[in-house]
Amino acid sequence: MYNFEQVRYNMTNTIINESLKSIDTSSLVDKVEDGLVRLLQEKKLKVGDSIPKEVELAETLGVSRTVIREALLRLRMMGLIESKKKKGAVITSPDLFGILGKSMNPHILSQETLKGIFEIRLVLEIGMADFLFQRVTKADIEELKEIVSNEPPVAQFHLFNIDHEIAFHGKLYEITGNETLKKFQSLLLPVFDYVHNSGLLKQQSKLKTFVSHGGLVEILEKGTPEEFRNGMRSHLENHFVRLFESD
Amino acid sequence: MYNFEQVRYNMTNTIINESLKSIDTSSLVDKVEDGLVRLLQEKKLKVGDSIPKEVELAETLGVSRTVIREALLRLRMMGLIESKKKKGAVITSPDLFGILGKSMNPHILSQETLKGIFEIRLVLEIGMADFLFQRVTKADIEELKEIVSNEPPVAQFHLFNIDHEIAFHGKLYEITGNETLKKFQSLLLPVFDYVHNSGLLKQQSKLKTFVSHGGLVEILEKGTPEEFRNGMRSHLENHFVRLFESD
DNA sequence: TGTTTTTATTATGTATGACATAATAAAGGT
DNA sequence: ACCTTTATTATGTCATACATAATAAAAACA
């Protein structure tokens, strides 16, 4: 069993310390939350371990169950715990970007943030070349070629086909073997799409295709990371132009 | 005034729809949360607008204040609202990565996620070259040179000086002018540091310095984005070696 | 009259007690 | 030994009351 009394001590300690230098602006729930988080990481609780019941915590920490519940709710939102009826709450490994998902809504983000996210996507795709080359397999190459072969004709009015873009670039993220990166990308995607189609950036002046998807695949098959970075940079040229025109 | 009655309708609607195809596993709070989020983005509420009081919401939606409070708490955690005493809750523009901060704790993340984050940092620094060149100023160059001049001697036992690393690379992120990117980086930093020093990766076999900080500054001053990407890739070579050895 | 101080008012924060609900464990019957 | 039924238990929800801090209103003062 874990010494949850310690949380109480830490809480009190924090209160004293902070009252000396600055006004304590944090609420009770804040303190309980901090205490619990600290405890969870100091004691090395393994995933699956269960923490005390709400009422026990409330008694031990000397606060109401209301406060405990709010604090636990926060931990749950962070993905730190999952609570099941009867069984109580158990530790879980947080899905980092799952948490972000809810906030990652184009309609509620500031323009600056939206533009920032747009840029981050470009940064990622240029910068991930080395991981692509390290981990790409022959099967991946074949799959990419398959995707490219299904590419809709470029002579359409709309700038490019979104679904196809997603398929191709999504596959690239997959090849990196970095699950975190891939999840991150799938979060960024809707925002990227939104920015691309909104009036946030200047309209695309000229629409030249530089390095094509097919060209990128060829580089990935026979070339070097350096060549791929340059190829990707060229491939994304239209986006860069729009961004830099707005600067 | 906004029609918060609509939330009630949507809630009921959702319940009905979902009960037809699958068992409704979501809790009351989930529904209220969804309803509120949907409403906030459908009606285009500007930042600073205030939403109804807890009791009003409770009455309108026909649920207890407890449920409303939990739902509002979630919105607050997402950075969607801020609540002040007396004034009620007001809409705010969410600080995307501020939310992540709490979960971004090395001790509670899985090894795979930690490694993924380590890699993402490398991707970012290689990929951001174009934005550096687009937005760098003479003052920035001077500041970088100043940082480099304070570089501690490399012939130390410990691989490199963390503070100096942070100063230099942090400044680079700053130059990109992308606040979101910079915040993201400052979140990644502790994780990166943790992974670097933990036994998660193989020990550094040979410690050669490839392109130095000074070299990077020189490229940024007189070179091209392409050269910078290659320079940065070389600069980070030691990290890449460790990663790929573990593959 | 204009400015400061004091006093309400109000909405969130916290506490408490009760009941509902679902998952598990225990008891019982075949 | 297996299945069904009945407790048990911990979270989910509700209701009410009071504390607290921020604001607005009123009062006092110059």
Side-chain angles (χ1 to χ4, degrees):
Chain A
M1 253 312 167
Y2 318 110
N3 178 20
F4 276 80
E5 265 293 350
Q6 181 185 338
V7 177
R8 174 176 225 164
Y9 170 75
N10 285 335
M11 278 173 53
T12 319
N13 210 14
T14 304
I15 296 173
I16 295 176
N17 285 340
E18 291 186 345
S19 68
L20 287 180
K21 37 185 173 185
S22 65
I23 312 135
D24 185 10
T25 172
S26 65
S27 72
L28 238 183
V29 180
D30 293 326
K31 299 186 187 66
V32 173
E33 179 199 350
D34 287 351
L36 288 177
V37 169
R38 249 205 309 273
L39 192 78
L40 290 202
Q41 55 189 59
E42 277 174 10
K43 317 278 174 178
K44 295 155 191 167
L45 301 197
K46 279 165 290 186
V47 171
D49 287 354
S50 62
I51 66 179
K53 301 122 201 163
E54 294 176 353
V55 275
E56 291 181 20
L57 283 175
E59 285 173 11
T60 310
L61 305 186
V63 295
S64 76
R65 191 176 155 222
T66 312
V67 172
I68 297 291
R69 277 188 60 79
E70 289 214 11
L72 288 181
L73 174 60
R74 295 189 187 177
L75 298 198
R76 204 156 54 234
M77 278 200 72
M78 293 182 222
L80 271 180
I81 63 172
E82 271 178 15
S83 7
K84 301 262 175 184
K85 290 196 176 180
K86 164 87 181 187
K87 200 56 188 269
V90 298
I91 315 265
T92 59
S93 183
D95 172 13
L96 251 200
F97 297 124
I99 306 154
L100 258 193
K102 299 218 167 186
S103 323
M104 191 71 84
N105 187 313
H107 301 87
I108 60 179
L109 294 175
S110 72
Q111 292 209 349
E112 193 197 345
T113 304
L114 289 172
K115 192 180 164 200
I117 291 175
F118 190 88
E119 293 181 359
I120 288 179
R121 184 248 181 172
L122 304 183
V123 170
L124 290 177
E125 301 206 359
I126 292 176
M128 68 185 180
D130 283 280
F131 294 102
L132 287 176
F133 278 80
Q134 169 74 13
R135 289 159 190 167
V136 68
T137 67
K138 289 197 183 78
D140 290 328
I141 296 282
E142 290 314 308
E143 196 170 332
L144 283 175
K145 284 181 177 172
E146 172 71 18
I147 294 175
V148 170
S149 72
N150 292 332
E151 190 163 14
V154 73
Q156 309 275 15
F157 266 105
H158 46 290
L159 310 180
F160 51 67
N161 183 288
I162 293 291
D163 291 336
H164 180 262
E165 280 290 313
I166 293 177
F168 182 82
H169 289 271
K171 176 63 187 172
L172 289 183
Y173 283 91
E174 196 183 312
I175 294 176
T176 65
N178 188 327
E179 263 305 308
T180 304
L181 179 59
K182 181 150 178 53
K183 278 181 194 162
F184 189 46
Q185 184 259 354
S186 62
L187 276 184
L188 264 45
L189 212 77
V191 175
F192 186 85
D193 191 37
Y194 174 85
V195 174
H196 184 76
N197 294 318
S198 75
L200 219 146
L201 294 178
K202 287 225 175 76
Q203 270 313 313
Q204 232 145 347
S205 40
K206 56 200 167 196
L207 182 60
K208 290 209 296 184
T209 43
F210 297 85
V211 173
S212 67
H213 285 170
L216 288 175
V217 175
E218 200 179 319
I219 296 176
L220 184 54
E221 191 176 11
K222 301 171 185 164
T224 66
E226 176 176 350
E227 288 169 353
F228 188 89
R229 282 193 291 268
N230 294 333
M232 182 61 85
R233 171 63 180 84
S234 167
H235 177 69
L236 300 171
E237 171 66 16
N238 287 316
H239 297 311
F240 275 101
V241 169
R242 292 182 75 189
L243 278 169
F244 291 162
E245 274 179 355
S246 309
D247 262 5
Chain B
M1 250 312 163
Y2 319 109
N3 178 20
F4 275 80
E5 265 292 349
Q6 181 185 337
V7 176
R8 174 176 224 165
Y9 169 75
N10 285 336
M11 276 173 54
T12 318
N13 210 14
T14 304
I15 295 173
I16 294 175
N17 286 339
E18 291 185 346
S19 67
L20 286 180
K21 38 186 171 186
S22 66
I23 311 137
D24 185 9
T25 172
S26 65
S27 73
L28 238 184
V29 180
D30 292 326
K31 298 186 188 66
V32 173
E33 178 198 349
D34 286 352
L36 287 177
V37 169
R38 249 204 309 271
L39 191 78
L40 290 202
Q41 54 190 60
E42 277 174 11
K43 318 276 174 181
K44 295 152 193 168
L45 301 198
K46 280 165 291 189
V47 171
D49 287 354
S50 64
I51 66 179
K53 299 125 200 156
E54 294 178 354
V55 277
E56 291 179 20
L57 283 174
E59 284 173 11
T60 308
L61 305 186
V63 296
S64 77
R65 195 179 151 218
T66 310
V67 172
I68 296 292
R69 277 188 61 78
E70 290 214 4
L72 287 182
L73 173 60
R74 296 189 186 178
L75 298 198
R76 204 157 55 235
M77 278 200 74
M78 294 182 220
L80 270 179
I81 62 172
E82 270 178 14
S83 11
K84 300 262 176 186
K85 291 196 176 180
K86 164 86 181 186
K87 201 55 188 268
V90 297
I91 314 267
T92 58
S93 184
D95 172 14
L96 253 200
F97 298 124
I99 306 154
L100 260 193
K102 300 220 167 187
S103 322
M104 191 70 84
N105 188 313
H107 301 87
I108 60 180
L109 294 175
S110 71
Q111 292 210 350
E112 191 197 345
T113 305
L114 289 172
K115 191 180 166 200
I117 292 174
F118 189 90
E119 293 181 0
I120 288 178
R121 184 247 182 172
L122 303 183
V123 169
L124 290 177
E125 302 206 359
I126 291 176
M128 68 185 180
D130 284 280
F131 294 103
L132 288 176
F133 279 78
Q134 168 75 12
R135 289 160 189 165
V136 68
T137 67
K138 290 199 184 74
D140 290 328
I141 296 283
E142 290 314 308
E143 196 171 330
L144 282 174
K145 285 181 177 171
E146 172 72 17
I147 294 175
V148 171
S149 73
N150 291 332
E151 191 163 13
V154 73
Q156 309 276 13
F157 266 104
H158 45 292
L159 309 179
F160 51 68
N161 184 290
I162 293 292
D163 291 336
H164 181 262
E165 280 290 312
I166 292 177
F168 183 82
H169 290 271
K171 177 62 187 172
L172 288 183
Y173 284 91
E174 195 182 313
I175 295 175
T176 66
N178 188 329
E179 264 304 309
T180 304
L181 179 59
K182 183 151 175 52
K183 277 181 195 162
F184 189 46
Q185 184 259 353
S186 63
L187 275 184
L188 264 44
L189 211 77
V191 175
F192 186 84
D193 191 38
Y194 173 85
V195 175
H196 183 76
N197 293 317
S198 76
L200 220 144
L201 295 178
K202 286 226 175 74
Q203 270 312 315
Q204 232 143 350
S205 40
K206 56 201 169 199
L207 181 60
K208 290 208 296 183
T209 43
F210 298 84
V211 172
S212 67
H213 285 170
L216 288 174
V217 175
E218 200 178 318
I219 296 175
L220 184 54
E221 191 176 13
K222 301 170 186 165
T224 66
E226 177 176 348
E227 288 168 356
F228 189 90
R229 283 194 290 268
N230 294 334
M232 181 61 86
R233 172 62 182 83
S234 167
H235 177 70
L236 299 172
E237 172 64 16
N238 286 317
H239 297 311
F240 275 100
V241 168
R242 292 182 74 190
L243 278 169
F244 291 163
E245 275 178 354
S246 309
D247 263 6

